[in-house]
């Protein structure tokens, strides 16, 4: 049986330096099927577009204000020819020449709508970043399989923390059936479009899996201010879409701060943890925990343009996704609009088998 045609899709912005690592890794992939390369660039000021075109990418350039995590990826999908869509961040670097084949192979199971790769920190990252990334669930070598018995209403009825863990999906490095994404596009939200999409397809009866044999190196090294902003956005997303409060108050934040510092010390004992990282740890972890506390209590600035009158969880769980493939700067108004123009997918070949992830330590 021939291998499915694949479209590798990357949104970019001022990514020339990151592409110096990503593009050679893509050239080194050993995949026997057709591979298409597409990117949407948000008007980069550096040589990003030239580097992509030299590597064989078809590149569309849009104004920066038209970028949206969900809507831009939907636009990439709309123009793609592949049966399988592989989404990568511009700073994700596949490890090994079998990355693509391994990730796409996770869709051999006809019940699976999408798969995520394992995400680890590169060896060049600082010790704090390595500890944070490599301790995260996304770095696990244990494969998980998530499916759900019931529809959107039953999924919405789950405890917020349980649902947040169930819909964990990551567009840093993922692959999705093109026909499934045509029927269930990414929601047009300021943050967390991948997890929001996961909720939609799980509620529609599909299965999601991890493919830990496919690994990418990807990390962001934050200072105190960067950590505050990143974790504030994450906590605000969990509160708005899952009703899950990451940090319920100052005491919980303080406990989290102590926990993070103790984990940093344990990591330092078993690795070559440079002393400067230990000196930075209280400031970075302080920003992290303060961000979680603030995001758990009030809306982050990135959400200020979102429609507050609508039920945000209905946006998360709706199977006929609003926001479609538009790359306009408008905020989703809750009105259903067409997604990509492929034929809609059929439902999974058999019903989902309950809330199952027998191989997963995370659910």
């Amino acid at each position: 049986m021939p291998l499915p045609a694949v479209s590798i899709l990357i949104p970019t912005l001022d990514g020339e330096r990151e592409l110096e690592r990503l593009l050679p890794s893509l050239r080194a992939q050993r995949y026997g099927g057709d591979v298409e390369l597409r990117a949407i660039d948000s008007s980069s000021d550096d040589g990003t577009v030239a580097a992509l075109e030299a590597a064989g990418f078809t590149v569309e350039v849009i104004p920066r204000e038209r970028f949206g995590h969900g809507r831009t990826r939907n636009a990439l999908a709309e123009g793609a020819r592949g049966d399988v869509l592989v989404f990568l961040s511009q700073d994700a670097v596949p490890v090994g020449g079998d990355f693509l084949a391994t990730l796409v192979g996770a869709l051999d199971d006809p019940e699976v709508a999408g798969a995520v790769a394992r995400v680890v920190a590169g060896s060049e990252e600082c010790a704090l970043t390595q500890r944070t990334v490599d301790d995260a669930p996304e770095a696990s070598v244990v494969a998980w399989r998530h499916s759900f018995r019931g529809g959107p209403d039953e999924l919405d009825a789950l405890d917020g923390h349980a649902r947040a863990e169930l819909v964990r999906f990551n567009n840093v490095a993922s692959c999705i059936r093109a026909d499934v994404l045509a029927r269930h596009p990414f929601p047009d939200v300021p943050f967390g479009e991948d997890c929001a999409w996961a909720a939609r397809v799980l509620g529609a009866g599909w299965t999601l899996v991890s493919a830990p044999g496919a690994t990418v190196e990807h990390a962001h090294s934050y200072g105190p201010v960067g950590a505050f902003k990143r974790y504030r956005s994450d906590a605000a997303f969990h509160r708005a879409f899952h009703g899950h409060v990451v940090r319920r108050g100052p005491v919980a934040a303080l406990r989290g701060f102590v926990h993070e510092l103790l984990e940093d010390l344990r990591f330092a004992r078993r690795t070559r943890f440079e002393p400067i990282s230990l000196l930075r740890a209280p400031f970075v972890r302080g920003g992290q925990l303060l961000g979680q506390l603030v995001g758990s209590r009030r809306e982050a600035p990135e959400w200020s343009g979102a429609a507050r009158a609508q039920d945000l969880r209905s946006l998360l769980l709706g199977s006929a996704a609003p926001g479609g493939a538009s790359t306009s700067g408008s905020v989703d108004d809750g009105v259903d609009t067409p997604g990509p123009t492929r034929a809609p997918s059929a439902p999974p070949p058999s019903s989902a088998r309950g809330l199952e992830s027998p191989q997963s330590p995370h659910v």
Side-chain angles (χ1 to χ4, degrees):
M1 179 180 293
L3 293 172
V6 170
S7 295
I8 297 177
L9 310 176
I10 307 176
T12 59
L13 171 64
D14 293 337
E16 183 177 13
R17 291 187 60 186
E18 288 91 348
L19 294 176
E20 290 176 359
R21 297 186 63 209
L22 171 58
L23 296 179
S25 178
L26 291 180
R27 285 195 295 270
Q29 295 304 304
R30 298 181 290 270
Y31 185 73
D34 292 335
V35 177
E36 176 191 27
L37 305 173
R38 299 183 64 87
I40 290 181
D41 182 76
S42 297
S43 298
S44 292
D45 292 326
D46 60 6
T48 296
V49 172
L52 288 168
E53 291 178 339
F57 277 77
T58 299
V59 184
E60 176 186 354
V61 178
I62 63 172
R64 293 192 183 191
E65 61 270 17
R66 287 174 59 191
F67 172 81
H69 288 288
R71 75 175 77 107
T72 301
R73 288 175 171 85
N74 287 336
L76 280 164
E78 184 180 32
R81 301 191 305 268
D83 301 309
V84 174
L85 309 177
V86 173
F87 291 95
L88 291 173
S89 295
Q90 67 183 23
D91 53 351
V93 181
V95 177
D98 294 326
F99 162 82
L100 184 61
T102 301
L103 182 61
V104 173
L107 301 189
D108 288 347
D109 183 339
E111 294 188 358
V112 174
V116 295
R118 180 175 177 241
V119 180
V120 300
S123 58
E124 75 284 355
E125 300 292 343
C126 74
L128 285 181
T129 301
Q130 287 188 28
R131 204 281 287 173
T132 301
V133 174
D134 292 348
D135 280 358
E138 289 78 10
S140 175
V141 297
V142 180
W144 53 257
R145 179 185 179 92
H146 291 175
S147 57
F148 183 75
R149 175 176 295 166
D153 290 341
E154 290 80 9
L155 187 60
D156 187 41
L158 286 178
D159 168 78
H161 177 70
R163 186 173 61 250
E165 292 299 307
L166 178 66
V167 304
R168 188 184 296 276
F169 201 78
N170 193 350
N171 274 340
V172 165
S174 66
C175 71
I176 296 173
R177 294 185 188 277
D179 56 351
V180 174
L181 191 64
R183 181 161 183 160
H184 305 287
F186 293 115
D188 187 9
V189 291
F191 186 84
E193 86 295 337
D194 39 16
C195 294
W197 176 83
R200 287 179 166 178
V201 295
L202 287 169
W206 288 93
T207 295
L208 299 174
V209 300
S210 70
T215 301
V216 295
E217 293 182 350
H218 176 269
H220 295 288
S221 184
Y222 295 115
V225 175
F228 171 83
K229 292 179 179 179
R230 173 64 177 80
Y231 285 92
R232 178 187 59 190
S233 295
D234 184 68
F237 171 80
H238 280 282
R239 181 175 61 84
F241 283 92
H242 298 303
H244 171 52
V245 178
V246 177
R247 299 293 171 186
R248 294 192 174 276
V251 173
L254 180 60
R255 287 174 177 166
F257 176 72
V258 172
H259 169 79
E260 293 293 338
L261 290 182
L262 289 176
E263 289 300 310
D264 287 337
L265 285 172
R266 293 188 183 100
F267 186 80
R269 291 191 183 116
R270 66 178 188 265
T271 64
R272 297 175 60 186
F273 202 146
E274 63 270 22
I276 189 64
S277 291
L278 285 176
L279 295 176
R280 291 179 58 241
F283 301 99
V284 174
R285 301 306 180 195
Q288 172 184 335
L289 272 298
L290 182 60
Q292 289 179 338
L293 178 62
V294 172
S296 295
R297 292 185 160 193
R298 62 176 183 264
E299 184 180 281
E302 337 29 335
W303 295 93
S304 60
R308 294 278 63 122
Q310 68 173 318
D311 179 359
L312 289 179
R313 289 199 214 170
S314 69
L315 172 64
L316 169 69
L317 297 165
S319 59
S326 171
T327 56
S328 70
S330 63
V331 175
D332 191 334
D333 59 5
V335 179
D336 287 359
T337 57
T341 56
R342 289 181 199 276
S345 64
S350 62
S351 61
R353 295 186 294 273
L355 178 59
E356 62 166 330
S357 61
Q359 294 176 290
S360 173
H362 311 313
V363 176

